[in-house]
Amino acid sequence: MTAYDVLRVFCGPRGGYGNELGVVRDGSVLPGPDERQKFAAELGFSETVFVDDPERGVIDIYTPTTRLPFAGHPCVGAAWLLDVPELVTPAGVVGARQDGEFCWIEARAEWVPPRTLRQYATAAEVDELSVPPKGEWIYAWAWADEPAGRIRARAFPGRDDGIDEDEATGAAALLLTDRLGRALNITQGAGSQILTAPQPEGWTEVGGRVYLER
């Protein structure tokens, strides 16, 4: 059996919720993309990370059906687990830092695969949404408290891989922050929390709590 850790990323204030993430610390045990894709599908998490160099933070990210050049919650989780100042992804070098109970990454909106950011009038409307038809990656959001920057969101990847709704999505939160140009406090899914903050020269920080599940 291939050894792997399971983290929960973007946990709520009391440590619950968060999006599960599989991390294979020794990526050399599954060196090929086909092997990694098969293993990610077997685990069935929304994303699985393979660590190719723990000291330099070189990682490789897969959903159950595809390889990703960048993804938010895998980068936050890997940065927390490896405790490194940066991660090296196919999209680019991701800055990382620990700040008390939060782990932060710094990345760019252009690294994020296409997402539809769909605004609703109220948080209640977002809560009442059913899973939409497959084919379009939708990030549904509404202001819960606009002056305070608080947002209610849900994410629907639209893939045919068993992940109908993503509990916490750092990449989509990054896109929304880039579009709105302000710091956000996002409650996503059943109760996950994502914090974001725009940075100079087109960078955005995304942060949250991470816990080792097993």
Side-chain angles (χ1 to χ4, degrees):
M1 290 292 293
T2 300
Y4 64 95
D5 296 296
V6 180
L7 311 179
R8 286 185 294 110
V9 184
F10 298 128
C11 295
R14 297 182 180 179
Y17 308 105
N19 201 355
E20 285 190 316
L21 173 71
V23 181
V24 179
R25 295 202 201 201
D26 183 5
S28 66
V29 300
L30 294 169
D34 291 343
E35 296 171 284
R36 293 180 175 189
Q37 187 64 79
K38 180 180 178 182
F39 189 70
E42 289 173 353
L43 291 184
F45 300 128
S46 59
E47 279 98 8
T48 298
V49 170
F50 299 86
V51 180
D52 290 318
D53 187 331
E55 293 184 358
R56 293 177 53 231
V58 180
I59 62 171
D60 197 16
I61 306 167
Y62 288 77
T63 74
T65 56
T66 191
R67 184 180 186 234
L68 297 177
F70 167 80
H73 103 274
C75 284
V76 172
W80 178 86
L81 186 66
L82 301 176
D83 193 19
V84 290
E86 63 183 29
L87 298 170
V88 180
T89 73
V93 177
V94 176
R97 65 181 178 91
Q98 310 285 339
D99 180 16
E101 64 181 313
F102 295 98
C103 180
W104 294 83
I105 62 165
E106 189 175 64
R108 303 187 67 84
E110 58 261 33
W111 295 351
V112 180
R115 304 278 191 266
T116 297
L117 305 179
R118 186 169 295 168
Q119 184 177 6
Y120 289 81
T122 66
E125 288 183 58
V126 174
D127 289 337
E128 293 166 3
L129 291 172
S130 300
V131 176
K134 292 179 174 60
E136 185 179 11
W137 212 117
I138 297 171
Y139 197 61
W141 71 278
W143 289 111
D145 183 341
E146 186 171 357
R150 291 179 53 242
I151 278 177
R152 175 70 177 115
R154 292 174 66 192
F156 305 102
R159 303 183 300 255
D160 191 17
D161 61 3
I163 310 296
D164 292 331
E165 181 170 353
D166 211 15
E167 173 61 25
T169 315
L174 189 159
L175 279 182
L176 184 59
T177 304
D178 183 71
R179 174 180 291 185
L180 297 177
R182 58 177 295 185
L184 301 175
N185 183 340
I186 301 170
T187 299
Q188 185 180 322
S192 300
Q193 184 180 28
I194 306 169
L195 303 179
T196 69
Q199 300 298 309
E201 300 180 3
W203 294 88
T204 300
E205 276 201 323
V206 178
R209 302 174 188 84
V210 184
Y211 291 95
L212 179 64
E213 192 166 87
R214 64 178 187 272

